[in-house]
Amino acid sequence: METKALVVTVFPAAIGLVMFGLGLSLLPIDFKRILLSPRPVIYGIVIQMVVLPVVAFLLARIFGLSPEWSVGLLLLAASPGGPTANLFSMLSGGDVALNLTLTAISSILSAISLPLTVAFSIHYFFGEDQTIRPQMGKTIEIFLTILV
């Protein structure tokens, strides 16, 4: 099977199957609990979307990483969690509803925060003359895919 076909069809289908299976294990009361006590969700989103990229930026500066490594580190830090984290949460007896909620919110927010983080890190670590143009069409396509 061609690599592109594997990435475009098989991987998303496998991820969707895992997420579907995890979703079936939850009850509406799990999400009601999160709505009644949203503090863990707020803390998790702030830590994942703000604190983690700031720590990555500081580590890149402290250790004097090359521009390529610095941008890569910030890209990883700004990337949202995914189905694997949700699966490990379930296997370890964690709060799967909280993990799924954090994954959903951070995935939606990453459609905006990820391009901004990458643009900032390229501008900062490579210099003012290095920029990337946002591809709005691709950004909207990814956002809609995440939303679905």
Side-chain angles (χ1 to χ4, degrees):
M1 180 177 276
E2 189 179 324
T3 304
K4 184 176 179 179
L6 190 67
V7 170
V8 172
T9 58
V10 175
F11 288 161
I15 290 170
L17 186 62
V18 168
M19 293 298 287
F20 184 72
L22 287 173
L24 288 177
S25 70
L26 298 174
L27 300 171
I29 195 164
D30 294 322
F31 293 101
K32 183 179 180 184
R33 181 178 34 84
I34 289 173
L35 288 174
L36 294 174
S37 180
R39 194 173 299 176
V41 174
I42 294 168
Y43 289 159
I45 292 297
V46 169
I47 289 169
Q48 187 171 2
M49 303 302 285
V50 177
V51 175
L52 193 56
V54 168
V55 169
F57 174 79
L58 293 174
L59 288 173
R61 294 282 298 146
I62 289 168
F63 289 109
L65 299 178
S66 69
E68 295 85 3
W69 281 89
S70 298
V71 171
L73 183 63
L74 262 84
L75 177 63
L76 285 175
S79 297
T84 306
N86 300 328
L87 181 62
F88 284 128
S89 179
M90 183 193 71
L91 293 174
S92 65
D95 190 340
V96 178
L98 175 61
N99 204 331
L100 283 171
T101 303
L102 288 172
T103 298
I105 293 171
S106 65
S107 294
I108 290 169
L109 291 176
S110 72
I112 297 167
S113 67
L114 205 51
L116 292 175
T117 301
V118 171
F120 163 78
S121 61
I122 287 174
H123 179 76
Y124 184 86
F125 290 109
F126 281 99
E128 292 185 19
D129 58 334
Q130 298 292 323
T131 59
I132 58 169
R133 291 193 169 153
Q135 298 177 0
M136 286 308 290
K138 193 58 135 173
T139 302
I140 292 170
E141 179 183 324
I142 291 170
F143 179 76
L144 292 174
T145 302
I146 290 169
L147 198 57
V148 169

PDB file of all heavy atoms in Angstrom, residues 1 25 30 33-34 48 51 85 105 107-108 132 142:
ATOM      1  N   MET A   1       0.850  -1.180   0.000  1.00  0.00           N
ATOM      2  CA  MET A   1       0.000   0.000   0.000  1.00  0.00           C
ATOM      3  C   MET A   1       0.894   1.241   0.000  1.00  0.00           C
ATOM      4  O   MET A   1       1.889   1.299   0.691  1.00  0.00           O
ATOM      5  CB  MET A   1      -0.900  -0.008   1.236  1.00  0.00           C
ATOM      6  CG  MET A   1      -1.810   1.200   1.307  1.00  0.00           C
ATOM      7  SD  MET A   1      -2.929   1.172   2.720  1.00  0.00           S
ATOM      8  CE  MET A   1      -4.228   0.172   2.064  1.00  0.00           C
ATOM      9  N   SER A  25     -17.524   4.094  25.789  1.00  0.00           N
ATOM     10  CA  SER A  25     -17.338   3.692  27.187  1.00  0.00           C
ATOM     11  C   SER A  25     -17.790   4.768  28.170  1.00  0.00           C
ATOM     12  O   SER A  25     -17.813   4.532  29.370  1.00  0.00           O
ATOM     13  CB  SER A  25     -15.862   3.357  27.431  1.00  0.00           C
ATOM     14  OG  SER A  25     -15.073   4.530  27.392  1.00  0.00           O
ATOM     15  N   ASP A  30     -20.675  11.493  32.883  1.00  0.00           N
ATOM     16  CA  ASP A  30     -19.249  11.817  32.908  1.00  0.00           C
ATOM     17  C   ASP A  30     -19.019  13.247  32.452  1.00  0.00           C
ATOM     18  O   ASP A  30     -18.222  13.982  33.042  1.00  0.00           O
ATOM     19  CB  ASP A  30     -18.461  10.847  32.010  1.00  0.00           C
ATOM     20  CG  ASP A  30     -18.493   9.422  32.531  1.00  0.00           C
ATOM     21  OD1 ASP A  30     -18.435   9.234  33.763  1.00  0.00           O
ATOM     22  OD2 ASP A  30     -18.595   8.501  31.698  1.00  0.00           O
ATOM     23  N   ARG A  33     -20.470  15.937  34.896  1.00  0.00           N
ATOM     24  CA  ARG A  33     -19.542  16.207  35.988  1.00  0.00           C
ATOM     25  C   ARG A  33     -18.520  17.261  35.587  1.00  0.00           C
ATOM     26  O   ARG A  33     -18.184  18.154  36.370  1.00  0.00           O
ATOM     27  CB  ARG A  33     -18.847  14.902  36.389  1.00  0.00           C
ATOM     28  CG  ARG A  33     -17.875  15.013  37.527  1.00  0.00           C
ATOM     29  CD  ARG A  33     -17.270  13.653  37.900  1.00  0.00           C
ATOM     30  NE  ARG A  33     -17.071  12.733  36.799  1.00  0.00           N
ATOM     31  CZ  ARG A  33     -16.012  12.732  36.003  1.00  0.00           C
ATOM     32  NH1 ARG A  33     -15.060  13.617  36.166  1.00  0.00           N
ATOM     33  NH2 ARG A  33     -15.900  11.845  35.028  1.00  0.00           N
ATOM     34  N   ILE A  34     -18.058  17.194  34.355  1.00  0.00           N
ATOM     35  CA  ILE A  34     -17.084  18.178  33.870  1.00  0.00           C
ATOM     36  C   ILE A  34     -17.730  19.551  33.733  1.00  0.00           C
ATOM     37  O   ILE A  34     -17.126  20.568  34.064  1.00  0.00           O
ATOM     38  CB  ILE A  34     -16.459  17.699  32.544  1.00  0.00           C
ATOM     39  CG1 ILE A  34     -15.543  16.515  32.833  1.00  0.00           C
ATOM     40  CG2 ILE A  34     -15.689  18.816  31.866  1.00  0.00           C
ATOM     41  CD1 ILE A  34     -15.006  15.840  31.621  1.00  0.00           C
ATOM     42  N   GLN A  48      -1.638  23.360  28.777  1.00  0.00           N
ATOM     43  CA  GLN A  48      -1.251  22.803  27.481  1.00  0.00           C
ATOM     44  C   GLN A  48      -1.036  23.880  26.426  1.00  0.00           C
ATOM     45  O   GLN A  48      -0.121  23.779  25.613  1.00  0.00           O
ATOM     46  CB  GLN A  48      -2.299  21.808  26.996  1.00  0.00           C
ATOM     47  CG  GLN A  48      -1.871  21.089  25.741  1.00  0.00           C
ATOM     48  CD  GLN A  48      -2.808  19.959  25.374  1.00  0.00           C
ATOM     49  OE1 GLN A  48      -3.804  19.720  26.043  1.00  0.00           O
ATOM     50  NE2 GLN A  48      -2.481  19.264  24.318  1.00  0.00           N
ATOM     51  N   VAL A  51       1.381  27.339  29.059  1.00  0.00           N
ATOM     52  CA  VAL A  51       2.554  27.018  29.875  1.00  0.00           C
ATOM     53  C   VAL A  51       3.537  26.120  29.123  1.00  0.00           C
ATOM     54  O   VAL A  51       4.748  26.379  29.121  1.00  0.00           O
ATOM     55  CB  VAL A  51       2.129  26.375  31.214  1.00  0.00           C
ATOM     56  CG1 VAL A  51       3.341  25.918  32.014  1.00  0.00           C
ATOM     57  CG2 VAL A  51       1.291  27.358  32.025  1.00  0.00           C
ATOM     58  N   ALA A  85      -3.240   9.469  23.957  1.00  0.00           N
ATOM     59  CA  ALA A  85      -3.335   9.937  25.345  1.00  0.00           C
ATOM     60  C   ALA A  85      -4.663   9.512  25.953  1.00  0.00           C
ATOM     61  O   ALA A  85      -4.724   9.112  27.125  1.00  0.00           O
ATOM     62  CB  ALA A  85      -3.187  11.458  25.388  1.00  0.00           C
ATOM     63  N   ILE A 105     -11.045  20.215  22.949  1.00  0.00           N
ATOM     64  CA  ILE A 105     -10.874  21.668  23.023  1.00  0.00           C
ATOM     65  C   ILE A 105      -9.507  22.079  22.503  1.00  0.00           C
ATOM     66  O   ILE A 105      -9.392  23.023  21.712  1.00  0.00           O
ATOM     67  CB  ILE A 105     -11.095  22.167  24.460  1.00  0.00           C
ATOM     68  CG1 ILE A 105     -12.560  21.966  24.873  1.00  0.00           C
ATOM     69  CG2 ILE A 105     -10.707  23.633  24.604  1.00  0.00           C
ATOM     70  CD1 ILE A 105     -12.842  22.228  26.333  1.00  0.00           C
ATOM     71  N   SER A 107      -7.598  20.509  20.427  1.00  0.00           N
ATOM     72  CA  SER A 107      -7.513  20.270  18.978  1.00  0.00           C
ATOM     73  C   SER A 107      -8.165  21.407  18.197  1.00  0.00           C
ATOM     74  O   SER A 107      -7.644  21.853  17.171  1.00  0.00           O
ATOM     75  CB  SER A 107      -8.172  18.947  18.609  1.00  0.00           C
ATOM     76  OG  SER A 107      -7.451  17.877  19.157  1.00  0.00           O
ATOM     77  N   ILE A 108      -9.295  21.875  18.680  1.00  0.00           N
ATOM     78  CA  ILE A 108      -9.967  22.992  18.011  1.00  0.00           C
ATOM     79  C   ILE A 108      -9.136  24.269  18.134  1.00  0.00           C
ATOM     80  O   ILE A 108      -8.929  24.981  17.152  1.00  0.00           O
ATOM     81  CB  ILE A 108     -11.389  23.178  18.578  1.00  0.00           C
ATOM     82  CG1 ILE A 108     -12.267  22.007  18.137  1.00  0.00           C
ATOM     83  CG2 ILE A 108     -11.998  24.501  18.131  1.00  0.00           C
ATOM     84  CD1 ILE A 108     -13.606  21.933  18.833  1.00  0.00           C
ATOM     85  N   ILE A 132       6.643  32.729   7.366  1.00  0.00           N
ATOM     86  CA  ILE A 132       5.858  31.789   6.573  1.00  0.00           C
ATOM     87  C   ILE A 132       4.487  32.401   6.362  1.00  0.00           C
ATOM     88  O   ILE A 132       3.971  33.107   7.215  1.00  0.00           O
ATOM     89  CB  ILE A 132       5.724  30.406   7.250  1.00  0.00           C
ATOM     90  CG1 ILE A 132       5.092  30.534   8.630  1.00  0.00           C
ATOM     91  CG2 ILE A 132       7.037  29.699   7.329  1.00  0.00           C
ATOM     92  CD1 ILE A 132       4.692  29.226   9.237  1.00  0.00           C
ATOM     93  N   ILE A 142      -8.165  21.764   7.830  1.00  0.00           N
ATOM     94  CA  ILE A 142      -7.749  21.031   9.026  1.00  0.00           C
ATOM     95  C   ILE A 142      -8.724  21.285  10.160  1.00  0.00           C
ATOM     96  O   ILE A 142      -9.115  20.366  10.879  1.00  0.00           O
ATOM     97  CB  ILE A 142      -6.312  21.422   9.422  1.00  0.00           C
ATOM     98  CG1 ILE A 142      -5.339  20.879   8.385  1.00  0.00           C
ATOM     99  CG2 ILE A 142      -5.967  20.926  10.821  1.00  0.00           C
ATOM    100  CD1 ILE A 142      -3.926  21.381   8.528  1.00  0.00           C
TER     101      ILE A 142
END
